[in-house]
Amino acid sequence: MIYLDNAATTRVFECAADAAQKAMLDGFYNPNTTYKLGVSAKSALEKSRRIIADCIGASPDEIVFTSCATESNNWAIENGRKSKKGNVVISAGEHSSVYETAISLKNRGVDVRIAPLTKSGTVDESAFLDLVDENTTLVSCIHVSNETGVINPIKRLAASVKSKSPRALFHCDGVQALLKTSERLDALGVDFYSASAHKLGAPKGIGFLYIRRGVTIAPLMFGGGQEKGLRSGTQNTPYVAAFAAAAERFKQISDHANVDRIRDELVKYFTKSGCKIIGDGENSGYILCVCVPNVKAEILQNIASEHGVIIGKGAACSGSKRGNRVLSAMGVKAEDIEHCIRISLFADTKLEDALQAAHVIMETARQIRSGNVG
Ligand code: PLP
């Protein structure tokens, strides 16, 4: 099997599974208790926080663990506004966990402004900045698109937003970017950054919200006061341990230049085969959106999986919904959207596997077109 749906989720690294098991079986104590074993569980938790912070370029005190990036995104958009007054600006390329939260604010009377995308898949920077004014309280822009892999210029955008509206806080959804671009988190100039471990070889159900030192946000959950009182609830110590192990491993084995090379070869292959690549902005390398003419993506995805090649069709979270809001915002025609598959790589994807998968995909497409499937 060749698995190329790593933007949906990834196989857990053995070292991450081992770390989780060890924390479950040996270090299972509640990290918020005061006896020795609890204190050692707490120090293991803090060690993991330090490892993750080091890997991404942040300080440990800026990381608040959550159950997933959906939670982090909901929290930042709901509570990240400094004041209940003022407008919120987001890009049209946001993941639904940002977009739908913003729409829910709008439905409750908040002035929510949505900046368009360019045909290349990046946010239209000047349109975004035009929407920002002195009353802007929060902005949100995705770092790497989960649909196309296109990178938004977050550092530049954050600087421009801050110079136009110094009181506006900047949130960034970094789920598909964390450890997949060479940028350090603390160099981006953002106030909030959401991440999820299961895109990096750790289990599902653990993520964080980075909150830049000095920035305040209303707590997400009240209770025992864990996570500096911001996100009460006993910490998921096994999954935090797995997250730290996976982040270290991912960083160790990833080679951005190699991922870029594989993606370039795939682009060449698919273009030569008559397909269109969606999103030609600067790309993280890990995600490729391909429009395969005259073949419904869902059918292609299902039959390719029977031939041992696993690919995506748009975001997994929006997989059950018709259409694709983000691709539409890029100006991709509805009939083309139906033909778009998403191929996503991992740190250890091999060129020969990727090309073999591409061959299977195009052969499957040929069979579907000729009615010769099954
Ligand atoms: N944001 C982006 C860009 C994503 O790709 C995803 C998941 O695919 C999420 C947020 C949600 O992450 P989680 O599954 O941790 O809730």
Side-chain angles (χ1 to χ4, degrees), residues 7-8 68-71 73 95 97 142 144 146 173 175-176 196 198-199 317:
C68 60
T70 296
E71 180 182 317
N73 282 341
H95 183 266
S97 51
I142 192 165
V144 167
N146 51 300
D173 176 347
V175 169
Q176 302 292 351
S196 186
H198 73 99
K199 315 292 185 179
C317 323

Side-chain angles (χ1 to χ4, degrees), residues 7-320:
T9 198
T10 58
R11 184 171 192 273
V12 174
F13 283 123
E14 260 167 48
C15 63
D18 287 348
Q21 191 184 32
K22 193 160 165 270
M24 282 191 269
L25 299 181
D26 302 338
F28 65 88
Y29 309 96
N30 190 322
N32 308 295
T33 54
T34 52
Y35 44 81
K36 217 168 164 186
L37 292 167
V39 171
S40 67
K42 173 84 172 165
S43 75
L45 173 70
E46 295 313 321
K47 183 175 172 208
S48 296
R49 200 189 305 270
R50 271 197 311 279
I51 290 172
I52 295 167
D54 278 354
C55 284
I56 63 177
S59 297
D61 59 308
E62 294 174 314
I63 289 175
V64 177
F65 290 115
T66 60
S67 70
C68 60
T70 296
E71 180 182 317
S72 309
N73 282 341
N74 271 254
W75 182 18
I77 303 301
E78 274 288 342
N79 293 5
R81 293 178 299 147
K82 261 195 200 149
S83 110
K84 296 274 175 250
K85 294 191 204 111
N87 61 71
V88 172
V89 179
I90 67 167
S91 88
E94 297 306 302
H95 183 266
S96 49
S97 51
V98 167
Y99 190 85
E100 295 300 334
T101 312
I103 294 300
S104 129
L105 289 179
K106 190 179 170 77
N107 293 340
R108 283 175 274 150
V110 178
D111 176 4
V112 174
R113 304 166 178 187
I114 302 176
L117 302 184
T118 64
K119 279 201 167 357
S120 299
T122 52
V123 66
D124 182 329
E125 271 181 86
S126 68
F128 193 98
L129 290 171
D130 282 347
L131 294 176
V132 173
D133 60 30
E134 68 280 7
N135 294 319
T136 301
T137 178
L138 182 71
V139 308
S140 187
C141 184
I142 192 165
H143 197 171
V144 167
S145 167
N146 51 300
E147 303 285 354
T148 59
V150 165
I151 306 176
N152 277 311
I154 297 300
K155 191 174 175 179
R156 189 166 67 224
L157 203 57
S160 308
V161 166
K162 297 277 176 181
S163 77
K164 199 160 176 203
S165 177
R167 75 183 201 115
L169 292 177
F170 198 113
H171 168 258
C172 179
D173 176 347
V175 169
Q176 302 292 351
L178 197 77
L179 298 179
K180 294 176 182 170
T181 74
S182 45
E183 292 165 297
R184 280 176 63 88
L185 218 169
D186 56 9
L188 290 176
V190 300
D191 299 295
F192 304 115
Y193 196 86
S194 301
S196 186
H198 73 99
K199 315 292 185 179
L200 294 168
K204 295 152 201 61
I206 184 77
F208 68 73
L209 181 65
Y210 159 91
I211 304 170
R212 190 168 58 80
R213 197 177 281 163
V215 171
T216 53
I217 184 170
L220 174 67
M221 289 202 263
F222 298 95
Q226 291 90 344
E227 298 295 286
K228 294 186 291 180
L230 291 171
R231 202 271 186 190
S232 284
T234 307
Q235 293 92 340
N236 187 345
T237 47
Y239 281 15
V240 168
F243 192 172
E248 265 187 322
R249 179 92 185 118
F250 191 96
K251 195 158 179 176
Q252 198 179 39
I253 67 168
S254 61
D255 174 353
H256 297 318
N258 189 46
V259 169
D260 285 343
R261 217 166 18 247
I262 297 175
R263 188 181 183 279
D264 287 349
E265 289 298 323
L266 288 175
V267 167
K268 260 193 250 162
Y269 181 88
F270 283 113
T271 311
K272 218 169 62 193
S273 310
C275 300
K276 213 164 31 184
I277 306 303
I278 308 295
D280 59 3
E282 189 198 345
N283 196 287
S284 81
Y286 284 84
I287 298 177
L288 180 64
C289 180
V290 187
C291 177
V292 184
N294 306 319
V295 181
K296 287 253 167 39
E298 193 167 328
I299 299 173
L300 181 52
Q301 180 190 41
N302 288 337
I303 298 177
S305 83
E306 285 164 23
H307 294 309
V309 171
I310 311 297
I311 51 169
K313 138 189 121 51
C317 323
S318 64
S320 57

Side-chain angles (χ1 to χ4, degrees), residues 357-369:
H359 176 72
V360 170
I361 291 165
M362 289 319 299
E363 184 53 29
T364 305
R366 195 188 59 72
Q367 286 172 9
I368 295 169
R369 287 190 196 115

